[in-house]
Amino acid sequence: MGSSRTGRSVNTARLQNDLAEQGVKAHAVNFHIVKTGRDMQYVIAKELLTHRKVKLLVVEMTELEDRKSHPDFIFLADPADVIRAPMFINLDYFSDLARLPGRQTDLFLETQLDAMGLRKPDFVAPPYQGPNLDWTEYLDTLDGKRYPLTTHHSREQMEALRREQEASITPAVLPKSLENFEFQVPRHYISAILELAREHGTKVVFLYAPRYAGPPTPPPYDHLYSSMPLINPEPLLRDYQIWADATHVNWEGSKILTDFVADELHRTGYLGEPSGSVSGSL
């Protein structure tokens, strides 16, 4: 689970096939979301682990701690999680809190109308697209169009994209002694995900999803989570030709990363003995 970096990096169908060739039976799901936001990753993890037995949870780690909460947290979070969210420094806390009564009232009215047969659904689910909804080789849109994700650039273009991406990064604003306040949101929800996993007997491993020409290891991991296992494909992703933009690999890069993840999952035994029947979640 992670952001679009994970969504564009891990092809779960290929991952399952790679593992099967090594004697490991697993079902992998890529629970990526558009935009960063550890609070939304926590919401997904809570829903997942409450209703499914998950052998392994692989959590994205990048080179940055993103201070921001996810804009859609208010739509999917439990009321208690909205109220108990970190208050400082969380720019969306009070706006989410103000929207909560209206959200709950609307949900109650819609539920009652539905029970009485008076509600006409305003959303129709699209056709089922299969157990592996991967955005690595192609992007299939709801209007039936398919876009190949094979874009690549020259070295000069990739360096320009790298500089542009680096210029968009906001460095730490508060003194180092106050960094726990500045980065309270991501740290709070990573801790909450790890605690959920412990409660449900689920193993957790971090997966480094680097940017182009990023650091060899993610600084947040080195600083805070180095006691946890990390899958690090960065040395294999330095070729400028396997990147679609500064933060997303293309299909060739995805194949390289996916194969490496499968090899690491098998080599390290995160999914148990190769001969066992296990299930994993990405």
Side-chain angles (χ1 to χ4, degrees), residues 18-186:
D18 285 350
L19 289 170
E21 290 177 357
Q22 301 183 72
V24 180
K25 181 181 179 182
H27 177 57
V29 181
N30 195 324
F31 285 107
H32 65 278
I33 55 175
V34 178
K35 296 183 181 293
T36 56
R38 294 291 190 183
D39 52 350
M40 185 64 88
Q41 292 175 23
Y42 163 76
V43 169
I44 295 171
K46 183 178 179 180
E47 179 75 11
L48 172 66
L49 297 179
T50 299
H51 298 285
R52 292 289 186 273
K53 177 62 179 175
V54 178
K55 180 79 171 182
L56 179 70
L57 190 66
V58 182
V59 180
E60 175 187 284
M61 181 65 64
T62 71
E63 72 282 353
L64 296 171
E65 289 186 276
D66 199 301
R67 309 164 179 79
K68 297 179 181 178
S69 58
H70 196 278
D72 293 339
F73 175 74
I74 182 58
F75 297 117
L76 296 181
D78 291 338
D81 289 329
V82 175
I83 295 169
R84 296 171 185 167
M87 187 180 301
F88 302 109
I89 298 174
N90 183 353
L91 299 180
D92 292 327
Y93 179 79
F94 291 105
S95 62
D96 285 350
L97 198 63
R99 296 166 70 183
L100 183 60
R103 188 197 80 169
Q104 293 303 106
T105 301
D106 181 67
L107 179 61
F108 171 77
L109 293 176
E110 291 288 332
T111 301
Q112 296 305 310
L113 289 173
D114 187 66
M116 293 184 288
L118 300 176
R119 178 181 177 274
K120 293 183 178 180
D122 53 8
F123 171 76
V124 178
Y128 180 58
Q129 293 179 275
N132 300 106
L133 188 58
D134 293 316
W135 291 0
T136 51
E137 184 175 8
Y138 301 101
L139 176 61
D140 292 318
T141 56
L142 295 180
D143 59 3
K145 295 181 180 179
R146 168 168 283 192
Y147 299 91
L149 299 176
T150 55
T151 301
H152 63 277
H153 305 280
S154 67
R155 186 187 298 276
E156 291 74 19
Q157 289 171 322
M158 282 307 307
E159 286 298 317
L161 290 171
R162 177 187 61 79
R163 291 191 293 269
E164 182 181 351
Q165 192 266 340
E166 287 182 348
S168 69
I169 298 172
T170 302
V173 176
L174 298 180
K176 189 171 182 60
S177 60
L178 298 176
E179 68 175 13
N180 281 334
F181 288 98
E182 182 169 359
F183 300 102
Q184 186 178 25
V185 169

Side-chain angles (χ1 to χ4, degrees), residues 223-276:
H223 180 45
L224 297 166
Y225 309 107
S226 58
S227 62
M228 299 286 296
L230 174 73
I231 297 175
N232 185 359
E234 189 277 334
L236 303 177
L237 302 177
R238 295 173 181 173
D239 183 354
Y240 67 90
Q241 298 179 87
I242 63 173
W243 290 87
D245 56 49
T247 54
H248 301 98
V249 293
N250 58 25
W251 172 228
E252 288 303 315
S254 174
K255 289 189 287 186
I256 293 170
L257 189 148
T258 299
D259 293 346
F260 178 79
V261 170
D263 289 342
E264 285 296 286
L265 291 178
H266 180 259
R267 181 186 65 82
T268 56
Y270 292 140
L271 288 174
E273 294 300 324
S275 60

Side-chain angles (χ1 to χ4, degrees), residues 203-215:
K203 297 178 184 178
V204 177
V205 60
F206 288 111
L207 170 63
Y208 184 24
R211 61 174 170 83
Y212 170 68

